[in-house]
């Protein structure tokens, strides 16, 4: 490490000598930011293991990380964030394209030079007395031509150690950038964390992201939503690919058939849990292995869609995770994990209510001892865990082509109206299903929880361009792919009149997967309705769930559907000219069908 430490005394020289010597353009960009930010020191993360240990050690010494009880959690730590910096802040998130039209009706937009000058004023000289970390990363399998690379600059060791856990960081990334000449630059400045001057800005015409005054995951780990979705969705549009807010898993049936299944649900609405699903005890022979818990990139191969996972780790929701709901997650996060904003037991274990309701007193996420157990962990508290810890990882995770996708699911939290599962009659109707996602908001974003909002394809906070053009891209992809995945819409969250979930969810969701698999094999029959194909409940294997509950889960309330369509229509209209004609036709077909009922 001697070289890096020495050269780092002379930041600008280090950039010239060590980094990107075959890429003067990138070096030039980095030098501009070095001059602007004026760091005292520069460290390039060429050896992630070495720097992870070093930074974790320093943060533990400074009490910024609390080491957890080694008996239960090895090499794992608790981090408490600034209380005003606990979730994504969408109002501060910008798609700053040259042409405002490219941001569209649903993104915040500001003219790039104007936004840059605001941000540059904020960040000038902001790394004085601080170390600048340069984190080179690859998104996707190291050898895949569908992978991409970039560098993130940050002054925040918490951000560095999280990036090392969720991305492929190190020398191979530098080599990839040198060899391809392609890269995204992501600048993160912790600043003052002033929530009134926070920006997460995406300059989509120049592969540049700048984030300032936040250190929260989705705002500051720019490999994740910033690059792997917002910037990558633009790249995908231009290359007949897709970058989607989807989990994906490889399901194996008792007869050995494999099914690739992906699913887009809004934030904190079940992707990680579904990707880690465990087989119910009475479904022996079925198996599921994880490809991705949050994001996939898809490309066309052999006339089919294949998915790779651009990430190397989880940034998962802690509350709700326990030995019953998600035992597989617990097998992954009992080591090498950073917990952010969970509570802490008096014997040093991370804690949230459902994990162990038997305790009487814990330290809450601010660090105060409390008996108010329900509010002790922040609802958006999370675990950061390397994916290699997950015991049931699909071999396709390391495959350069990835996993063939046979079925895609859309979904979201809906306490009423939306049936447990339905299938689209065609690709275009499936695109309409996705465009029609309207779901209850969660703690993953700041703002009120439980409010219905439009979140097409679960991408409303993450689409890096005009959402109408994005719908058109979905329709176009369906025309380019011969073996199109079947599209389904699921809802695990329907409630009864007492406000309880009707469907038990979690591993029971495998029964829905079983129905989907038999639809892919053209075995199960389905009933045609104006809102899609639904199971014949006489033949739907629903475990221990009574017939009455099953009927509630599949009830189609046509007046309710008409209301739903009428409420979605203004949102579609707001999208304007870019909203595809073909999708309007699908919408009106559905509405006509519902009106005739
Ligand atoms: P992000 O990481 O924000 O994108 O969230 P996600 O979509 O990965 O959601 P996740 O799987 O972490 O689940 C979020 C919350 O929903 C957790 O509290 C889960 O326990 C809960 N949840 C997940 N699946 C189910 C389900 O099938 N039924 C019910 N009732 N709750 C679920
Ligand atoms: C989400 O909010 O969709 C997350 C967490 O997965 S974050 O990384 O903050 O976006
Ligand atoms: Mn998740």
């Amino acid at each position: 490490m001697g070289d890096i430490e020495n050269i780092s005394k002379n930041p600008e020289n280090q950039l010239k000598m060590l980094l990107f010597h075959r890429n003067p353009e990138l070096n030039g960009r980095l030098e501009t930011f070095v001059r602007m930010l004026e760091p005292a020191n520069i460290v390039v993360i060429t050896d992630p293991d070495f720097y992870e240990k070093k930074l974790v050690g320093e943060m533990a010494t400074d009490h910024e990380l609390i080491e957890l009880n080694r008996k239960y959690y090895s090499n794992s730590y608790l981090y408490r964030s600034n209380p005003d910096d606990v979730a994504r802040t969408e109002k501060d998130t910008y798609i700053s394209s040259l042409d405002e039209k490219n941001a569209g009706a649903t993104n915040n937009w500001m003219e790039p030079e104007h936004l840059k000058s605001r941000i540059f004023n904020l960040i000038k000289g902001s790394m004085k007395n601080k170390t600048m970390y340069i984190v080179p990363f690859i998104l996707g399998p190291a050898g895949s031509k569908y992978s991409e690379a970039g560098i993130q600059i940050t002054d925040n060791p918490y951000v560095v150690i999280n990036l090392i856990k969720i991305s492929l960081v190190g020398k191979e990334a530098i080599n990839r950038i040198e060899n391809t000449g392609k890269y995204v630059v992501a600048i993160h400045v912790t600043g003052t964390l002033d929530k009134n001057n926070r920006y997460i800005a995406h300059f989509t015409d120049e592969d540049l992201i700048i984030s300032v005054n936040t250190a929260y995951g989705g705002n500051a780990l720019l490999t994740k939503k910033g690059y792997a979705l917002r910037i990558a969705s633009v790249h995908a549009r231009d290359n007949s690919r897709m970058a989607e807010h989807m989990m994906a898993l490889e399901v194996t049936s008792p007869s050995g058939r494999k099914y690739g299944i992906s699913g887009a649900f809004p934030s904190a609405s079940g992707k990680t849990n579904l990707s880690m699903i465990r087989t119910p005890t009475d479904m022996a022979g079925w198996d599921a292995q994880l490809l991705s818990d949050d994001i996939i990139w898809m490309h066309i191969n052999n006339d089919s869609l294949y998915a790779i996972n651009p990430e190397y780790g989880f940034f998962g929701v802690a509350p709700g995770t326990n030995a019953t709901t998600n035992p597989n997650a617990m097998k992954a996060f009992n080591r090498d994990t950073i917990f952010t904003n969970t509570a802490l037991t008096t014997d040093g274990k991370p804690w949230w209510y459902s994990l162990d309701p038997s305790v009487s007193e814990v330290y809450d996420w601010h660090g105060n001892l409390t008996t108010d157990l329900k509010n002790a962990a922040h609802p958006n508290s999370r675990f950061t865990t390397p994916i290699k810890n997950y015991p049931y990882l699909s071999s396709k995770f390391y495959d350069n082509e990835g996993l063939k996708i046979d079925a895609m699911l859309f979904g979201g939290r809906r306490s009423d109206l939306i049936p447990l599962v339905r299938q689209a009659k065609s690709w275009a109707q499936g695109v309409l299903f996705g465009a029609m996602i309207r779901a209850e908001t969660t703690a993953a974003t700041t703002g009120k929880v439980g409010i219905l909002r439009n979140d097409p394809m679960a991408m409303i906070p993450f689409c890096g361009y005009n959402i109408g053009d994005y719908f058109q891209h979905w329709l176009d992809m369906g025309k380019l792919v011969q073996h199109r995945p079947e599209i389904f819409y699921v809802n695990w969250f329907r409630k009864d009149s007492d406000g309880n979930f009707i469907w038990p969810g979690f591993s029971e969701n495998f029964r829905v997967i079983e129905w989907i698999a038999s639809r892919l094999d053209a075995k199960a029959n389905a009933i045609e309705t104006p809102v899609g194909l639904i199971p014949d409940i006489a033949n739907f294997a629903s475990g221990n769930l009574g017939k009455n509950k099953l009927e509630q889960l599949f009830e189609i309330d046509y007046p309710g559907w008409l209301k739903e369509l009428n409420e979605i229509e203004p949102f579609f209209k707001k999208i304007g000219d870019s909203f595809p004609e073909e999708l309007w036709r699908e919408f009106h077909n559905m509405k006509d069908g519902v009106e005739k009922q």
Side-chain angles (χ1 to χ4, degrees):
M1 286 305 113
D3 281 0
I4 289 178
E5 302 295 334
N6 279 338
I7 297 167
S8 67
K9 294 203 178 89
N10 187 342
E12 289 180 30
N13 273 351
Q14 181 191 23
L15 289 171
K16 287 195 188 112
M17 290 169 64
L18 250 196
L19 222 50
F20 315 106
H21 31 99
R22 279 165 37 207
N23 198 323
E25 196 253 9
L26 174 53
N27 259 4
R29 278 172 94 170
L30 293 179
E31 278 181 52
T32 309
F33 283 105
V34 170
R35 287 208 183 86
M36 185 185 304
L37 298 164
E38 300 175 50
N41 195 13
I42 295 180
V43 165
V44 186
I45 309 294
T46 44
D47 181 346
D49 293 341
F50 172 84
Y51 280 107
E52 186 179 351
K53 275 203 196 81
K54 183 171 187 285
L55 295 178
V56 164
E58 288 167 9
M59 290 181 76
T61 305
D62 295 346
H63 306 289
E64 286 175 67
L65 289 179
I66 300 169
E67 187 172 3
L68 297 169
N69 189 327
R70 286 187 203 172
K71 223 166 99 188
Y72 309 97
Y73 292 86
S74 63
N75 186 31
S76 296
Y77 298 83
L78 172 68
Y79 177 80
R80 295 188 182 119
S81 79
N82 179 300
D84 271 335
D85 193 28
V86 292
R88 281 183 297 102
T89 49
E90 291 176 13
K91 69 172 179 45
D92 306 321
T93 304
Y94 289 83
I95 298 301
S96 187
S97 45
L98 285 169
D99 185 348
E100 185 174 2
K101 254 204 218 133
N102 285 335
T106 59
N107 283 310
N108 297 321
W109 179 85
M110 214 186 279
E111 196 274 315
E113 290 314 312
H114 182 63
L115 182 53
K116 275 187 203 162
S117 73
R118 266 199 201 194
I119 293 177
F120 292 170
N121 276 336
L122 281 174
I123 67 178
K124 220 179 142 353
S126 65
M127 289 193 189
K128 274 182 191 154
N129 310 319
K130 286 180 136 189
T131 296
M132 172 193 273
Y133 299 94
I134 297 184
V135 188
F137 58 82
I138 294 178
L139 302 185
S144 174
K145 63 179 176 204
Y146 306 107
S147 299
E148 296 190 17
I151 59 156
Q152 175 161 346
I153 287 177
T154 178
D155 55 8
N156 193 318
Y158 167 78
V159 169
V160 176
I161 59 178
N162 275 275
L163 284 173
I164 289 173
K165 287 186 193 294
I166 68 165
S167 310
L168 182 59
V169 169
K171 279 210 181 82
E172 58 257 82
I174 297 182
N175 292 340
R176 190 176 175 111
I177 290 171
E178 296 268 51
N179 293 337
T180 62
K182 288 188 188 152
Y183 55 86
V184 165
V185 174
I187 312 287
H188 169 249
V189 177
T190 310
T192 59
L193 299 181
D194 175 4
K195 66 175 180 185
N196 298 317
N197 271 304
R198 196 168 276 174
Y199 291 93
I200 304 99
H202 304 76
F203 302 94
T204 49
D205 298 290
E206 46 189 307
D207 283 340
L208 173 67
I209 311 171
I210 309 179
S211 158
V212 54
N213 283 337
T214 174
Y216 169 72
N219 287 343
L221 309 177
L222 300 175
T223 58
K224 200 171 170 56
K225 298 310 200 316
Y227 184 168
L229 286 179
R230 297 193 190 97
I231 298 286
S233 61
V234 176
H235 294 176
R237 176 198 63 192
D238 298 341
N239 291 286
S240 300
R241 295 187 193 159
M242 304 174 90
E244 298 299 328
H245 189 202
M246 285 180 162
M247 67 89 219
L249 77 173
E250 185 180 21
V251 171
T252 310
S253 77
S255 68
R257 240 207 92 166
K258 305 259 186 205
Y259 307 86
I261 299 182
S262 70
F265 317 140
S267 299
S269 300
K271 291 181 300 300
T272 297
N273 277 267
L274 186 60
S275 73
M276 298 181 177
I277 194 166
R278 188 176 52 158
T279 317
T281 45
D282 64 327
M283 282 181 70
W286 287 91
D287 187 35
Q289 294 187 307
L290 179 147
L291 180 85
S292 172
D293 85 311
D294 197 45
I295 299 174
I296 56 174
W297 289 354
M298 287 177 282
H299 60 273
I300 301 172
N301 175 32
N302 286 330
D303 299 322
S304 297
L305 272 180
Y306 277 70
I308 60 167
N309 181 355
E311 300 194 277
Y312 277 81
F314 308 117
F315 184 59
V317 176
T321 311
N322 60 57
T324 312
T325 57
N326 194 348
N328 292 348
M330 297 186 60
K331 289 179 195 160
F333 67 46
N334 62 9
R335 61 198 188 283
D336 313 322
T337 294
I338 297 173
F339 293 87
T340 300
N341 293 336
T342 65
L344 179 70
T345 63
T346 49
D347 62 345
K349 292 186 281 186
W351 188 90
W352 47 92
Y353 187 72
S354 73
L355 189 63
D356 177 11
S358 73
V359 307
S360 52
E361 206 176 40
V362 293
Y363 295 99
D364 69 13
W365 64 280
H366 300 284
N368 302 318
L369 204 56
T370 182
T371 54
D372 178 11
L373 299 178
K374 287 259 162 84
N375 297 311
H378 189 277
N380 191 39
S381 51
R382 292 197 175 241
F383 56 86
T384 315
T385 303
I387 203 166
K388 62 178 192 302
N389 279 17
Y390 186 72
Y392 312 111
L393 190 60
S394 164
S395 62
K396 297 291 193 294
F397 177 79
Y398 297 103
D399 189 304
N400 290 338
E401 288 294 329
L403 173 69
K404 178 167 160 279
I405 299 297
D406 303 298
M408 288 175 164
L409 320 186
F410 292 118
R413 288 176 181 269
R414 283 302 291 267
S415 54
D416 59 11
L417 192 74
I418 311 293
L420 180 64
V421 58
R422 55 194 226 278
Q423 182 182 5
K425 280 178 278 193
S426 63
W427 178 266
Q429 192 185 50
V431 175
L432 178 67
F433 276 19
M436 281 176 61
I437 295 183
R438 229 174 141 226
E440 291 145 22
T441 52
T442 66
T445 13
T446 52
K448 262 194 158 174
V449 165
I451 308 290
L452 267 189
R453 78 147 168 187
N454 295 97
D455 192 356
M457 284 77 170
M459 281 289 279
I460 209 71
F462 308 119
C463 185
Y465 60 101
N466 187 314
I467 198 91
D469 296 340
Y470 170 78
F471 294 158
Q472 186 62 54
H473 183 61
W474 264 84
L475 294 168
D476 293 345
M477 288 301 292
K479 293 178 180 103
L480 288 175
V481 181
Q482 215 173 338
H483 305 300
R484 285 178 289 277
E486 290 291 321
I487 298 178
F488 298 81
Y489 199 120
V490 299
N491 177 24
W492 319 137
F493 300 97
R494 204 160 177 171
K495 289 182 175 168
D496 62 19
S497 49
D498 296 329
N500 299 314
F501 291 120
I502 305 171
W503 178 247
F506 301 104
S507 65
E508 291 295 296
N509 296 334
F510 223 123
R511 304 188 194 282
V512 173
I513 292 178
E514 184 182 14
W515 185 74
I516 288 170
S518 62
R519 288 297 297 164
L520 295 174
D521 294 343
K523 283 190 186 138
N525 51 2
I527 296 166
E528 198 162 335
T529 81
V531 296
L533 303 158
I534 58 164
D536 175 355
I537 61 174
N539 305 318
F540 186 81
S542 61
N544 293 324
L545 201 77
K547 184 157 175 275
N548 183 283
K549 286 194 173 180
L550 205 57
E551 279 169 357
Q552 286 179 53
L553 286 168
F554 285 110
E555 191 211 320
I556 300 202
D557 158 20
Y558 285 107
W561 272 98
L562 190 57
K563 184 165 172 277
E564 176 80 358
L565 290 159
N566 282 332
E567 285 171 6
I568 289 173
E569 199 166 341
F571 169 71
F572 282 177
K573 282 194 173 137
K574 192 182 89 178
I575 293 169
D577 290 347
S578 63
F579 193 96
E581 276 303 318
E582 188 182 351
L583 209 53
W584 271 130
R585 279 198 298 280
E586 282 297 332
F587 178 83
H588 289 298
N589 274 345
M590 187 182 281
K591 197 170 161 185
D592 289 348
V594 168
E595 275 169 343
K596 283 193 194 113
Q597 289 294 312

